Amino acid sequence: MIARKVRDIEYHLLPSSTRKTTDIVIERNGQVVVRPPVNYSLEQVDALVESKRLWIYRNLAEWRDLNATAVTREWVNGETFLYLGGAYRLALVSHQDKPLKLKEGRFCLSRELIETGGTAAARAAFENFYSEKGQQRFAERASFFAPKVGVENHAIKVKDMGYRWASCGRSGTLNFHWKCMMAPPRIIDYITVHELCHFHHRNHSDAFWNEVDKVLPDWRERKEWLRKRGAGLDI
């Protein structure tokens, strides 16, 4: 990935793809990422970015607005946490055998954990919870969708993916961010199908989206939900 700048637009240049059009994306961290067609020179890519300058400004402004609502946690009774699209209140409880449980419609967090480990320990408890639940759900959904996509089932890993929701590893492993478990099931299914289709096409070409469309005809709606609401999936 090469860092470049056109006027006041800083962007990261990815290796060329086999598609005929340029792919310009605003990543979850606000980075502008550009994947040009094969054989494009740096000057040609800069010219393309310049021609899309107003589009980039507009989408960066929208990204800033979406991320202005970032979650700030106090880790007190009554705070709301998302799980599979549902909102659950936090309850600090004493003498619990596990750091965190989802019980009777509440997230029950060990009071002793907060007192001894502070907010870092509390956050780790939620990350572990989402990771464990995600390992099971993504394995189940990948097994369900793999035959529909026309690929074999693969190993699943759920972990911190930084600013990426998921990835399809070259070794055949599907990687998912634990934050995905905050999204509704239909969005989790979209992320799963998206990554499975990358076994057919390692890009976001029209051919790739055609594969997604075969399984999820309403993928555009699900993708748009993730783009607009994804910033709120955090702890």
Side-chain angles (χ1 to χ4, degrees):
M1 187 181 297
I2 302 173
R4 292 186 63 78
K5 186 173 183 178
V6 176
R7 294 201 195 184
D8 57 342
I9 297 175
E10 296 180 354
Y11 74 92
H12 288 81
L13 179 63
L14 297 179
S16 300
S17 67
T18 56
R19 63 182 299 174
K20 296 180 180 180
T21 57
T22 301
D23 198 12
I24 301 178
V25 176
I26 310 298
E27 295 284 10
R28 287 179 59 217
N29 61 351
Q31 285 184 346
V32 180
V33 176
V34 180
R35 187 186 295 275
V38 67
N39 296 328
Y40 262 52
S41 68
L42 294 177
E43 291 74 18
Q44 285 176 302
V45 178
D46 285 347
L48 281 169
V49 172
E50 169 69 20
S51 69
K52 295 290 185 179
R53 184 163 49 89
L54 295 180
W55 181 91
I56 293 172
Y57 287 156
R58 184 169 63 251
N59 282 268
L60 281 174
E62 183 176 345
W63 176 87
R64 294 187 188 98
D65 289 342
L66 291 172
N67 283 270
T69 57
V71 178
T72 300
R73 293 293 180 194
E74 296 182 8
W75 303 98
V76 296
N77 284 314
E79 277 194 294
T80 300
F81 289 80
L82 296 175
Y83 176 59
L84 295 179
Y88 298 87
R89 297 287 185 181
L90 179 68
L92 300 182
V93 299
S94 299
H95 311 299
Q96 185 167 266
D97 60 343
K98 290 185 177 181
L100 180 67
K101 289 183 178 181
L102 182 57
K103 183 173 62 175
E104 299 176 352
R106 297 186 303 172
F107 269 118
C108 298
L109 181 65
S110 168
R111 190 183 302 274
E112 290 83 3
L113 180 74
I114 286 282
E115 292 173 349
T116 58
T119 59
R123 180 181 174 86
F126 270 89
E127 289 185 17
N128 290 336
F129 176 89
Y130 289 127
S131 295
E132 290 174 6
K133 297 296 184 181
Q135 189 71 40
Q136 178 180 351
R137 176 164 286 267
F138 277 112
E140 291 174 351
R141 302 315 288 163
S143 295
F144 175 79
F145 281 114
K148 300 178 184 298
V149 175
V151 299
E152 295 182 1
N153 201 13
H154 292 77
I156 301 291
K157 287 186 179 180
V158 180
K159 57 185 181 178
D160 193 320
M161 297 279 297
Y163 287 101
R164 303 182 68 183
W165 289 115
S167 70
C168 176
R170 293 288 179 181
S171 63
T173 299
L174 296 175
N175 304 293
F176 299 95
H177 201 306
W178 56 263
K179 291 182 181 180
C180 293
M181 290 304 292
M182 299 181 185
R186 62 190 300 272
I187 304 304
I188 290 176
D189 283 353
Y190 162 70
I191 296 171
T192 304
V193 170
H194 184 119
E195 296 310 321
L196 286 170
C197 287
H198 274 312
F199 285 116
H200 289 304
H201 303 281
R202 296 279 179 175
N203 51 38
H204 292 104
S205 61
D206 291 341
F208 166 80
W209 291 114
N210 285 338
E211 293 294 336
V212 177
D213 192 76
K214 292 175 185 177
V215 183
L216 298 175
D218 64 342
W219 62 268
R220 292 176 182 84
E221 178 185 334
R222 305 187 195 210
K223 179 185 178 184
E224 184 67 4
W225 187 100
L226 192 60
R227 186 183 72 84
K228 289 187 173 181
R229 304 285 295 277
L233 303 181
D234 203 352
I235 57 174

